[in-house]
Amino acid sequence: MQDRRHFLKAAALGAAALSLDGITSTPAHAAPYVKGGKAKPVVVSTWDFGRAANEAAWEVLKKGGRALDAVEAGVRIPEADPNNHTVGYSGYPDRDGRVTLDACIMDELGNCGSVAALEHVVHAISVARAVMEKTPHVMLVGDGALQFALANGFKKENLLTPESEKAWKEWLKKSEYKPIMNIENSSYGAGKETTFSPLTLPGNVYNHDTIGMVALDADGNLSGACTTSGMAYKMHGRVGDSPIIGAGLYVDNEVGAATSTGVGEEVIRVVGSFLVVELMRQGYSPENACKEAVTRIVKKNPARAKGLQVGFLAINKKGQHGAYCLQKGFNYAVLSEKENNVLIDGKHYF
Ligand code: ASP
């Protein structure tokens, strides 16, 4: 009881101190941001829709801005894109027809914030950042996350577009939960290899994808952001890897940063992004660290791993990047002074 009282008092004091800070200022509990000015900025993000996100992030990075601001600005692009059905606005709903968002963000100081099962707010990543900067907590979920968002000036909106609603109603006819892999990559955007459209999917499939972005700024600091509407037609209340620090995203400013996409349950089982960063600490290259994390997923259950997609993406302190995935089809976008938002295919296990 005493411990709890102590915690509540400390939390109230912390919140009072933090409320003096704006969303984009350094939180009161954090060490000051250190400007070193000795790195070549680079931003990487998952899938072909990462290219538009990278452009927005680059606007911040090229001016010497902070990686944290860059990744937030970057992932807000797919969050607001009505053609992207796996992130933010117009994301495919859960099986009850509710669009629920998961997101997290982490900076170079180890500060992090997260929201899960958040409804009615387009920019889940900015709510996650506000959790990081304005509360003594790391994670808010469901109604509590919404309540916090509304109290902090975020607008309440309907995220279910007619297109997504139509796809959900089609799915309801059979209500089966089976994956289609790499759907974003094959249905629209720069890939355009096929005419496969989410709206022409048979009713017995679901699909998924996430924007995970990690960046290095000119001061040599790393940050990351990860945001998704999660697996389409998931059970109401299901939370994937994307808002979980260590699973969908992890940043250690001494070593590197990693993020993931794909079936979140598999990523959580191996604490994927944390694992990738720890492997880089041991000297693995970003690609080999991602490969080892993918291999661990396979080892746990090869038969299960064969039927689904997971991709990891990482950068290290030098700005070197790499990725690895279970199945062919995962790619990532890289933007730096040298790499002009190129799309790179992840090597794959199967
Ligand atoms: N990782 C996301 C989730 O499990 C989905 C995805 O990236 O495909 O919710």
Side-chain angles (χ1 to χ4, degrees):
M1 192 62 184
Q2 199 148 28
D3 279 346
R4 186 175 146 72
R5 264 206 307 273
H6 178 77
F7 167 75
L8 290 174
K9 196 173 158 201
L13 286 173
L18 291 172
S19 67
L20 297 174
D21 291 296
I23 284 188
T24 54
S25 68
T26 301
H29 58 284
Y33 177 72
V34 180
K35 275 192 166 287
K38 50 186 169 348
K40 295 255 183 250
V42 53
V43 56
V44 296
S45 57
T46 52
W47 304 108
D48 54 3
F49 55 75
R51 291 213 274 205
N54 281 358
E55 296 286 350
W58 191 248
E59 286 303 307
V60 177
L61 292 174
K62 76 179 183 195
K63 294 180 201 135
R66 189 177 174 196
L68 181 70
D69 296 326
V71 295
E72 182 191 9
V75 303
R76 282 172 61 99
I77 301 298
E79 279 187 337
D81 181 354
N83 295 316
N84 186 324
H85 297 291
T86 60
V87 181
Y89 177 70
S90 88
Y92 286 135
D94 64 21
R95 56 190 64 182
D96 297 347
R98 296 162 73 161
V99 181
T100 64
L101 307 182
D102 293 342
C104 74
I105 192 160
M106 188 162 191
D107 74 8
E108 74 285 353
L109 302 165
N111 298 309
C112 45
S114 159
V115 288
L118 171 68
E119 293 181 78
H120 306 301
V121 180
V122 175
H123 292 299
I125 199 66
S126 297
V127 183
R129 184 166 177 177
V131 171
M132 174 174 98
E133 296 188 335
K134 294 188 159 197
T135 82
H137 306 304
V138 165
M139 191 165 194
L140 292 179
V141 305
D143 287 347
L146 176 60
Q147 198 184 333
F148 168 77
L150 299 180
N152 280 277
F154 289 87
K155 210 167 109 202
K156 188 168 182 179
E157 288 176 65
N158 174 22
L159 305 186
L160 185 66
T161 58
E163 218 185 14
S164 297
E165 190 173 6
K166 191 173 163 195
W168 167 60
K169 288 199 168 142
E170 191 58 34
W171 175 82
L172 276 179
K173 290 181 186 163
K174 288 197 175 165
S175 304
E176 282 174 12
Y177 193 61
K178 290 181 191 166
I180 279 218
M181 290 176 283
N182 310 320
I183 189 167
E184 293 303 339
N185 203 25
S186 56
S187 60
Y188 71 88
K192 286 202 178 92
E193 302 89 339
T194 78
T195 53
F196 196 53
S197 155
L199 291 182
T200 58
L201 290 174
N204 65 343
V205 295
Y206 70 92
N207 64 87
H208 55 89
D209 284 346
T210 292
I211 179 116
M213 173 182 276
V214 286
L216 176 73
D217 65 27
D219 296 311
N221 288 318
L222 295 160
S223 287
C226 186
T227 176
T228 188
S229 51
M231 310 296 271
Y233 321 132
K234 60 196 174 186
M235 290 174 73
H236 181 64
R238 179 265 186 188
V239 171
D241 59 320
S242 307
I244 300 189
I245 296 295
L249 176 73
Y250 197 70
V251 177
D252 185 320
N253 208 39
E254 283 182 6
V255 178
T259 189
S260 63
T261 181
V263 176
E265 284 75 3
E266 300 306 311
V267 177
I268 292 170
R269 284 188 180 101
V270 298
V271 199
S273 292
F274 180 74
L275 175 60
V276 170
V277 171
E278 287 306 301
L279 289 165
M280 289 194 290
R281 191 193 305 281
Q282 291 169 28
Y284 282 65
S285 69
E287 182 183 306
N288 284 340
C290 293
K291 183 178 181 183
E292 175 60 23
V294 163
T295 305
R296 298 243 184 133
I297 290 175
V298 178
K299 275 189 192 153
K300 280 200 189 297
N301 191 330
R304 189 170 60 205
K306 241 181 202 148
L308 50 87
Q309 177 66 301
V310 167
F312 290 106
L313 169 62
I315 54 174
N316 63 18
K317 230 3 215 184
K318 293 181 197 153
Q320 296 164 327
H321 49 80
Y324 210 85
C325 54
L326 279 170
Q327 321 284 343
K328 186 170 189 273
F330 168 63
N331 54 18
Y332 69 101
V334 188
L335 184 49
S336 68
E337 266 171 26
K338 284 192 304 202
E339 289 155 301
N340 189 18
N341 224 355
V342 286
L343 209 52
I344 298 179
D345 287 327
K347 291 190 190 147
H348 45 97
Y349 189 96
F350 291 112

